[in-house]
Amino acid sequence: MVRLLTHIRTLAGIREYARPLRGPELAELPQLADAWLLVENDTIAGFGRMDQLPVSLRKGTVSQDCSGRIVLPAWCDSHTHLVFARSREEEYVHKLRGLSYAEIAARGGGILHSARALEAMPEDELFIRSWERLQEAMRLGTGAIEIKSGYGLSTAAELKMLRVIRRLREKSPLHIKATFLGAHALPEAYRNDREGYLRLLETEMLPRVAAEKLADFMDVFCEQGFFTPAETDRICRAGLAYGLRPKLHVNQLSSSGGLQQALAIGALSADHLEIMTDTDIRELAASATIGPLLPTAAFFLQLPFPPARRLIEAGAAIAIASDFNPGSSPSCNMNLVVAMACMGMRLLPGEAIQAATINGAAAMELEQVTGSIRVGQRADFILTRPVPSLAYLPYAFGNNHIEQVFLAGEPVS
């Protein structure tokens, strides 16, 4: 099928190359005014200014007039926990009453609460609920997404989560990456046996995940009260033996060696980064590891926003992602994430858009196939409603600016 979009007010996110952006280049959002975009089947086949539209396309090609509208790459959400059994709004009330994330977890809430609910839910029901959430993410403009396990915390329940993610990938037009997060928290059954759970991860969970080819990456919640840097190193090295590259939770609640462990093990990404020292920032900037920042999680938990400006100025490669989960970021709306990145972390609109597209794709090793407007890349893009400018998208954050979402060249209903 051939699809021609014409008179696009702004065609944004154009790239001749695909790599994560750093420093000042993050703000340099390549764009064309009064543009056309050609899609053939599922692929971007060409684009340019309207005054350079080839004669062969002017005649006989059915086109869609996009006057006043912006086209930009679909969002690439590189950190989510989309597969879960039920919401946790009662914990939201506890937060409003002043309890911290750690205090709620100590009372049996948090991750362990989600683990109990997930263990009890049949796989088919878990799939149906997750599919509904994934469709909502698509309608909100997400074209690529990473989904973690980690609410199972037993071999059977973790495999159930990962099988659901595989079913989502088989049914959905989104690019979906699966991450095994068995080391999300210490399960209740192992409260007094940390070594036993580490051995379970190494000798049972990881071999099963690898044998069934259920994950692309692995993750560990390396944080005070969860898993130490030494334990994280041990788990990651076990995962690397099965070809699972780490994407780690670090520096959310403290700077306690998590980032350094991520860098030492060669993690693809070090995610969260709310608490960063000057040394942390310098070391991340000097590495190839990408730093996905999760502004809606910081907002929801009333934590400091990650120091995005200092990270960018130091030359670190940052992305932004939703951290969609029932406990600390119950929203998959990447449009809100972009606006929150601007308001809470003082990113410029172009920086936020590129952190949520090309850099988000790179944090999932997908930059060669999505995250930008590039000939030969899959046609995953957002068509906005008529808006005055790109900056208007995060500025008018309470409105839905999306008219259509196209994944693999086809509109999402």
Side-chain angles (χ1 to χ4, degrees), residues 86 88 90-92 94-95 99-116 151 153 184-186 188 191 226 326-327:
R86 62 177 298 270
R88 288 170 17 204
E90 67 281 358
E91 293 181 14
Y92 171 68
H94 291 328
K95 291 183 182 75
L99 291 183
S100 70
Y101 182 85
E103 287 170 330
I104 292 170
R107 293 185 174 197
I111 295 165
L112 297 182
H113 180 95
S114 287
R116 290 190 293 271
Y151 291 137
L153 305 184
H184 199 188
L186 198 67
E188 291 173 315
R191 181 174 298 172
F226 294 88

Side-chain angles (χ1 to χ4, degrees), residues 262-291:
L263 302 184
I265 204 71
L268 173 62
S269 69
D271 302 32
H272 272 290
L273 309 182
E274 284 89 343
I275 310 300
M276 294 285 281
T277 67
D278 291 343
T279 299
D280 292 335
I281 291 172
R282 285 196 303 271
E283 291 180 349
L284 179 62
S287 77
T289 297
I290 299 169

Side-chain angles (χ1 to χ4, degrees), residues 188-411:
E188 291 173 315
Y190 289 86
R191 181 174 298 172
N192 299 314
D193 187 11
R194 296 184 71 86
E195 177 61 27
Y197 190 61
L198 292 172
R199 286 199 304 269
L200 182 71
L201 285 164
E202 292 172 316
T203 63
E204 186 172 310
M205 289 192 190
L206 277 166
R208 291 286 302 277
V209 170
E212 296 186 36
K213 299 180 180 179
L214 290 172
D216 303 292
F217 307 111
M218 65 167 301
D219 195 351
V220 178
F221 191 6
C222 185
E223 184 59 75
Q224 290 182 357
F226 294 88
F227 292 90
T228 68
E231 291 168 340
T232 299
D233 181 75
R234 175 178 169 181
I235 298 164
C236 287
R237 292 191 185 281
L240 283 167
Y242 293 103
L244 298 178
R245 190 175 181 187
K247 286 169 57 69
L248 300 181
H249 283 65
V250 300
N251 290 55
Q252 180 182 11
L253 307 175
S254 64
S255 175
S256 54
L259 175 67
Q260 286 69 29
Q261 184 56 57
L263 302 184
I265 204 71
L268 173 62
S269 69
D271 302 32
H272 272 290
L273 309 182
E274 284 89 343
I275 310 300
M276 294 285 281
T277 67
D278 291 343
T279 299
D280 292 335
I281 291 172
R282 285 196 303 271
E283 291 180 349
L284 179 62
S287 77
T289 297
I290 299 169
L293 312 179
L294 314 173
T296 48
F299 171 77
F300 191 86
L301 293 175
Q302 298 182 350
L303 295 172
F305 281 97
R309 287 256 55 92
R310 291 168 60 205
L311 286 162
I312 293 170
E313 290 164 5
I318 67 160
I320 56 174
S322 73
D323 194 19
F324 179 36
N325 75 85
S328 61
S329 188
S331 172
C332 62
N333 189 346
M334 283 294 289
N335 306 281
L336 177 61
V337 172
V338 169
M340 194 74 70
C342 294
M343 291 182 286
M345 301 192 303
R346 305 199 66 80
L347 266 64
L348 300 174
E351 291 173 327
I353 289 169
Q354 298 203 108
T357 53
I358 183 65
N359 278 18
M364 297 181 278
E365 295 184 330
L366 285 172
E367 69 272 24
Q368 299 299 326
V369 294
T370 195
S372 60
I373 303 297
R374 189 162 63 99
V375 172
Q377 200 155 49
R378 206 179 83 157
D380 303 324
F381 58 89
I382 295 166
L383 174 67
T384 73
R385 294 173 174 154
V387 293
S389 67
L390 274 165
Y392 189 81
L393 301 178
Y395 160 76
F397 66 92
N399 301 321
N400 179 11
H401 302 298
I402 295 176
E403 185 169 296
Q404 281 185 301
V405 178
F406 292 83
L407 299 182
E410 293 295 326

